Amino acid sequence: MQSKIIGTGAFVPGGVLTNKTLEKMVVTSDEWIVSRTGIKERRRTTNSEASSDLAYYAAQRALKNAGVRPDKIDLVITATATPDMLLPSTACIVQGRLGMRNIPAFDLNAVCSGFIYGLAAADAFIRSGAYKTVLLIGVDTITKFTNYKDRSTCIIFGDGAGAVVLQAARGKKGILGSRLYADGTKWDYIHVPGGGSRIPSYAAGPPDYYMIMKGHDTFRVAVRGLEQAIIALLRQARISMRDIDIIIPHQANIRIIEALAMKLHYPMEKIFVNIDKYGNTSAASIPIALHEAVAAKRIRDNDLILFAAFGSGLTWGASLVKW
Ligand code: COA
């Protein structure tokens, strides 16, 4: 039994934050941002929009594209590091709004690697026979926790949601394997100090509300981690890099993607990139990119797709899908 992706969907908020606008907020330039990150603009939620709103619309679209009614879903997993609130889970809020009743729903937090972790979890549930049809959403609203006075982080992140419907299917198509990793000794590389049980929101001061990032250190570990995960996964699946039809990587920085392509001797033309439009949307970046790649007909029947992601935790991983 395989888990097949039978529908994709995506949703980004309407608010566009361009490099030109950022030039008015911090000392930076469009040219610096484009050359160091590949990002031209990103989407930003308004005060009245939360993660579950984006997740709801992305999920609706994925369900429609899959031709699956909400009452046919057996499990909802929401990969997010920016839930609507500490409790309940955003997955429960979305499940209720979609009109799904009495099916399990939970959040999973692996930050920017959330979609890869979620895909592995959904696949395991389906292969075990526990659930047949799973809705997996990747959503983040990192801009809510971004300090727009910190030029090293505010240029990078954007908001968005992507979703897939996975279903048990016989045959050779579906998720072929996943490799997941974490290194918790580097938890402080990317973190938001306040709002949890360490510094509860009532005790937090302004610096605690926002994300802090060691950009340079993260960059180096990201390239190494992604390469390690991909090589291990291909070895496990007995597949060569030449057999991969398309790589859909987490959209963190175009230079990370280019460095990875060089290390793997893989052509950039076969790597899907949309970072210019959305920046780094954390757990949403791979499912948004997948949805756009499908819509643009960059993915054909029987294609081998490689997903690879890296993020706070530190977490990283890769998964292989036969379409
Ligand atoms: N505009 C202009 N200058 C900036 C700037 C900005 N937005 N941000 C930083 N700089 C400056 C720095 O202050 C520094 O100046 P200095 O040399 O006078 O001290 C200089 O640019 C170089 O800084 P550095 O941090 O070495 O730049 P970088 O090439 O490493 O790029 C990042 C910075 C953040 C873009 C890059 O490190 C990165 O993308 N890292 C990975 C982060 C990531 O992917 N995080 C999410 C993981 S999921």
Side-chain angles (χ1 to χ4, degrees):
M1 193 60 81
Q2 300 270 19
S3 334
K4 236 179 107 178
I5 296 175
I6 59 163
T8 65
F11 182 84
V12 290
V16 179
L17 179 58
T18 63
N19 291 350
K20 282 277 166 226
T21 307
L22 282 168
E23 281 179 358
K24 296 182 196 125
M25 298 161 83
V26 285
V27 180
T28 191
S29 68
D30 174 50
E31 195 222 329
W32 193 96
I33 301 171
V34 172
S35 65
R36 296 293 180 112
T37 68
I39 303 166
K40 291 182 182 150
E41 57 187 47
R42 67 291 288 143
R43 299 302 180 98
R44 194 177 175 191
T45 42
T46 60
N47 288 344
S48 62
E49 289 170 312
S51 287
S52 72
D53 300 317
L54 313 187
Y56 170 73
Y57 293 118
Q60 266 195 332
R61 291 173 183 184
L63 288 164
K64 186 164 179 278
N65 288 332
V68 169
R69 289 203 323 257
D71 63 333
K72 296 291 175 206
I73 295 292
D74 303 316
L75 168 69
V76 181
I77 304 175
T78 299
T80 188
T82 50
D84 284 21
M85 46 194 96
L86 271 184
L87 55 143
S89 72
T90 298
C92 282
I93 296 170
V94 176
Q95 185 247 34
R97 202 166 156 192
L98 286 168
M100 300 164 172
R101 296 284 177 268
N102 296 324
I103 58 152
F106 67 89
D107 284 1
L108 175 159
N109 182 357
V111 200
C112 295
S113 311
F115 184 77
I116 299 281
Y117 269 61
L119 207 61
D123 183 39
F125 276 121
I126 289 174
R127 279 175 194 269
S128 74
Y131 303 109
K132 191 170 161 256
T133 311
V134 178
L135 172 64
L136 169 64
I137 304 164
V139 60
D140 268 309
T141 47
I142 300 278
T143 71
K144 302 262 181 178
F145 306 92
T146 296
N147 181 355
Y148 283 92
K149 291 194 173 106
D150 175 2
R151 66 178 180 173
S152 69
T153 54
C154 73
I155 56 155
I156 290 176
F157 295 95
D159 301 333
V164 296
V165 177
L166 293 129
Q167 198 162 61
R170 297 210 177 275
K172 293 200 160 59
K173 291 181 183 175
I175 299 171
L176 303 185
S178 302
R179 297 288 293 209
L180 307 178
Y181 300 86
D183 178 359
T185 65
K186 297 185 174 61
W187 66 267
D188 61 331
Y189 276 34
I190 311 168
H191 71 290
V192 179
S197 61
R198 179 71 57 195
I199 309 173
S201 47
Y202 57 80
D208 306 321
Y209 301 141
Y210 300 120
M211 174 192 290
I212 299 165
M213 183 175 78
K214 293 183 183 175
H216 208 69
D217 296 335
T218 304
F219 193 107
R220 281 187 300 121
V221 189
V223 176
R224 215 182 315 134
L226 289 167
E227 186 192 12
Q228 172 202 21
I230 290 171
I231 289 172
L233 177 60
L234 293 182
R235 202 168 288 155
Q236 172 186 306
R238 295 172 194 276
I239 280 170
S240 126
M241 207 58 228
R242 281 191 303 276
D243 300 326
I244 303 297
D245 296 295
I246 184 167
I247 298 182
I248 301 186
H250 169 47
Q251 311 282 312
N253 183 319
I254 191 69
R255 289 189 298 136
I256 292 179
I257 297 173
E258 286 168 351
L260 186 67
M262 208 147 80
K263 277 183 177 291
L264 297 171
H265 305 291
Y266 193 78
M268 269 305 285
E269 312 84 72
K270 288 170 74 177
I271 302 184
F272 192 85
V273 174
N274 64 3
I275 192 170
D276 52 318
K277 293 191 289 181
Y278 307 122
N280 179 344
T281 56
S282 187
S285 96
I286 289 181
I288 292 175
L290 172 65
H291 178 70
E292 291 197 342
V294 171
K297 302 204 178 342
R298 286 276 305 267
I299 298 175
R300 288 180 305 269
D301 209 25
N302 283 314
D303 270 0
L304 262 182
I305 311 168
L306 183 68
F307 297 126
F310 185 90
S312 166
L314 295 175
T315 56
W316 64 101
S319 34
L320 196 58
V321 172
K322 189 161 183 72
W323 197 252

